[in-house]
Amino acid sequence: MINPSRVAEIAGRIRISTSPEIDAAVDAAALAQRAWAATEVEERAERLERIAQRIETCAGELAQTLAREVGTVIPMASGELKTAATLFRLMAGHARTDLLRRQEITGEDARLQISRRPYGVVACIVPWNAPAVLAAQKVAPALAAGNAVVVKPSPFAPLTVTAMLTEAASELPDGLVQVVNGGADVGGALVEHPRIAKVSFTGGGTTAASIMRAAAARLTAVHFELGGNDPAIVLDDADPQQAANGIIASAFCRSGQICYAVKRVYVPRHRADAYRDALVAAAERLRVGDALDPRSTMGPVNNSAQLGRIRLLDERARAAGRTVLTTGTRVEPDAWDSGYFLQPALVLDAEHHDEVVSVEQFGPILPIVTYDTEQEALAMANDTVYGLGASVWSSDIDRAMHIAAGIESGVSFVNAHVQSDLALREMPFGGVKQSGMGWENSAEGLGEYLQFHSVDAHLVTR
Ligand code: NAD
């Protein structure tokens, strides 16, 4: 693994899992799962809480690894580990409240019993952009529900996940948590494995389609958390500075490499200059540099493909006649070419159908589009195959919530976006349309790893 802040530096090495190793991992997980499912819920919950403590204890070291392999600046990397730990604690709570609730209805001549059961072995396939929290979002509920997991991190960011789950495994019965490493081949082998009962995947839509095709062979259950093209709608009563600060923080957090980052901004035409100026001023304050440098507020992009893609989007927007403003400052101008660095860019006069508006750019380039009416803004916000997140910015919360209610997304924010630590707010997170299938976090997130078992028993009368 290359450190994206210093591409000449190896962040770490990992061995690619072989086919027999994948089989062995799934078999060991299947063996451990039976006893785990039969373990008292209280004991499972206590073990999850111990995992949370363990992750917290080594969060400092894991955050350094995360910064080195992903390019996430240290405060954000530390926050990610803290959230990952908290997810285990929250899921322990949900296990206690939701799993112990067994419904029984007894009548005169019949008895009905409804209980919930785990799937068995769940394959958890995660991307590179926020690997620790995205793995925890799957592993914590899957384990709480009584499943075993085989986790496949991204080949761009396997180190933190592998280290974090090694810590988790030490609090659990042997074999219950497995990690296999590699790329599409290893992920594919896992999806096709006959003992995998469910695939929980976070990543891109094209990969999800491949997984769905492979899973179809055995009708394996799937759960998808996919890409987004989140709109931020600024209403004309929003304070320019407040809205701009929040939008810029959301759009360029992790160099724009978050599924639910703000990816396009809609501002009212009659106040466009005020909002554009405020957005530029906020973006100018970003300092781009080595993720481990405390002066950096934005790190590099993760890999050379990302760098190439964003540069191309920038070039094409300029070639189409758009005004692309490069903002922010370089922390160490001399070290600029030794990392995958990009300064945050704003496309000041984007049109709704521009490429940079309609694709999930997943990087530090943000288009600003003007609108004439709120209905038009809403129509443009919804005019996409994606439906992950969205935000409305206004000084009038009722007005903003009215607009938010019309957005086709899994989650909509008002006067916030990425800065809402949604994993901890205990609301279901997921996408509609091509942004996903299924939900993470909260009791609904636990439910994704459970099936129902109903017993309808009838008394026999002689
Ligand atoms: P990706 O789809 O390329 O890879 C994700 C994972 O799938 C990796 O571990 C990869 O090795 C594996 N994989 C690739 N091909 C596979 C195959 N055929 N079978 C099984 N596994 C396979 O995504 P990425 O580039 O790592 O991440 C970026 C994408 O993830 C973006 O679209 C982003 O929006 C999305 N994402 C979504 C969420 C969410 O919660 N909705 C969160 C983070 C990222």
Side-chain angles (χ1 to χ4, degrees):
M1 261 61 55
I2 283 170
N3 175 350
S5 298
R6 299 158 188 263
V7 294
E9 184 187 302
I10 303 290
R13 292 178 196 279
I14 214 108
R15 225 170 46 76
I16 304 294
S17 304
T18 61
S19 189
E21 284 169 345
I22 298 167
D23 287 346
V26 180
D27 288 348
L31 195 65
Q33 192 268 332
R34 290 204 192 105
W36 179 245
T39 303
E40 290 293 329
V41 167
E42 181 52 35
E43 188 188 332
R44 296 210 300 252
E46 282 170 16
R47 284 183 189 250
L48 257 62
E49 284 166 344
R50 292 210 291 275
I51 293 173
Q53 263 167 25
R54 250 179 194 277
I55 297 173
E56 279 160 358
T57 305
C58 48
E61 203 179 317
L62 290 174
Q64 295 276 323
T65 309
L66 187 60
R68 226 171 243 121
E69 67 174 340
V70 179
T72 313
V73 290
I74 283 290
M76 208 149 282
S78 304
E80 178 173 339
L81 268 312
K82 204 171 147 208
T83 304
T86 308
L87 283 168
F88 280 92
R89 201 165 278 127
L90 290 173
M91 278 302 156
H94 286 300
R96 287 188 179 106
T97 50
D98 295 348
L99 296 180
L100 295 178
R101 208 182 332 119
R102 202 162 76 162
Q103 213 179 324
E104 247 184 77
I105 302 159
T106 308
E108 256 176 35
D109 54 359
R111 210 186 297 169
L112 185 63
Q113 191 183 74
I114 303 165
S115 56
R116 305 184 85 181
R117 290 174 166 181
Y119 277 81
V121 184
V122 179
C124 304
I125 302 178
V126 290
W128 49 262
N129 62 319
V133 78
L134 295 172
Q137 266 175 211
K138 301 183 183 310
V139 173
L143 292 176
N147 300 279
V149 293
V150 183
V151 181
K152 197 206 77 64
S154 163
F156 290 108
L159 303 173
T160 316
V161 174
T162 305
M164 181 182 84
L165 294 180
T166 303
E167 292 293 334
S170 65
E171 294 291 352
L172 295 166
D174 278 353
L176 196 69
V177 170
Q178 301 283 335
V179 180
V180 294
N181 269 302
D185 289 357
V186 174
L190 210 51
V191 173
E192 286 169 14
H193 199 289
R195 296 184 85 169
I196 293 293
K198 182 160 191 172
V199 177
S200 179
F201 168 78
T202 298
T206 311
T207 313
S210 303
I211 290 177
M212 205 177 212
R213 279 193 293 273
R218 292 178 202 281
L219 300 175
T220 306
V222 290
H223 171 190
F224 291 151
E225 296 289 339
L226 310 177
N229 187 9
D230 289 18
I233 302 177
V234 182
L235 301 187
D236 62 4
D237 63 355
D239 174 70
Q241 205 179 325
Q242 259 175 7
N245 288 347
I247 289 170
I248 292 298
S250 296
F252 295 108
C253 170
R254 293 172 195 265
S255 308
Q257 302 167 125
I258 302 197
C259 54
Y260 72 108
V262 171
K263 301 207 171 103
R264 48 197 172 116
V265 186
Y266 294 93
V267 297
R269 196 179 302 280
H270 69 279
R271 292 198 71 196
D273 286 345
Y275 292 120
R276 265 197 218 108
D277 292 349
L279 286 162
V280 170
E284 288 290 7
R285 287 194 288 276
L286 292 166
R287 297 186 304 274
V288 188
D290 191 319
L292 289 164
D293 189 325
R295 294 170 297 172
S296 309
T297 55
M298 188 176 120
V301 294
N302 177 257
N303 54 63
S304 58
Q306 282 287 101
L307 189 76
R309 228 171 31 76
I310 302 303
R311 280 188 178 152
L312 205 62
L313 277 174
D314 184 316
E315 273 167 31
R316 288 202 194 130
R318 287 175 202 267
R322 301 293 175 246
T323 312
V324 183
L325 192 72
T326 304
T327 64
T329 49
R330 301 176 175 194
V331 171
E332 273 194 77
D334 293 344
W336 192 255
D337 291 333
S338 54
Y340 297 136
F341 295 114
L342 284 170
Q343 283 175 252
L346 294 176
V347 186
L348 299 178
D349 50 0
E351 295 285 338
H352 175 63
H353 290 293
D354 286 355
E355 179 190 28
V356 72
V357 178
S358 56
V359 299
E360 182 197 28
Q361 69 270 50
F362 213 63
I365 182 163
L366 181 69
I368 304 169
V369 181
T370 46
Y371 68 83
D372 289 310
T373 64
E374 284 170 15
Q375 287 66 33
E376 186 196 3
L378 195 56
M380 289 194 285
N382 288 336
D383 180 27
T384 168
V385 295
Y386 295 108
L388 192 59
S391 55
V392 184
W393 303 77
S394 167
S395 55
D396 180 341
I397 192 165
D398 294 325
R399 190 177 164 212
M401 285 186 79
H402 178 71
I403 300 288
I407 299 179
E408 295 162 0
S409 63
V411 54
S412 299
F413 305 93
V414 171
N415 296 327
H417 205 115
V418 168
Q419 55 271 75
S420 161
D421 201 344
L422 53 79
L424 309 184
R425 291 182 75 77
E426 289 280 77
M427 49 188 195
F429 175 70
V432 298
K433 303 201 277 192
Q434 291 183 20
S435 286
M437 195 181 284
W439 305 94
E440 285 194 325
N441 304 332
S442 75
E444 278 67 24
L446 178 65
E448 291 289 344
Y449 298 93
L450 289 163
Q451 301 182 95
F452 284 99
H453 181 227
S454 306
V455 179
D456 181 8
H458 297 258
L459 285 177
V460 180
T461 46
R462 289 173 192 249

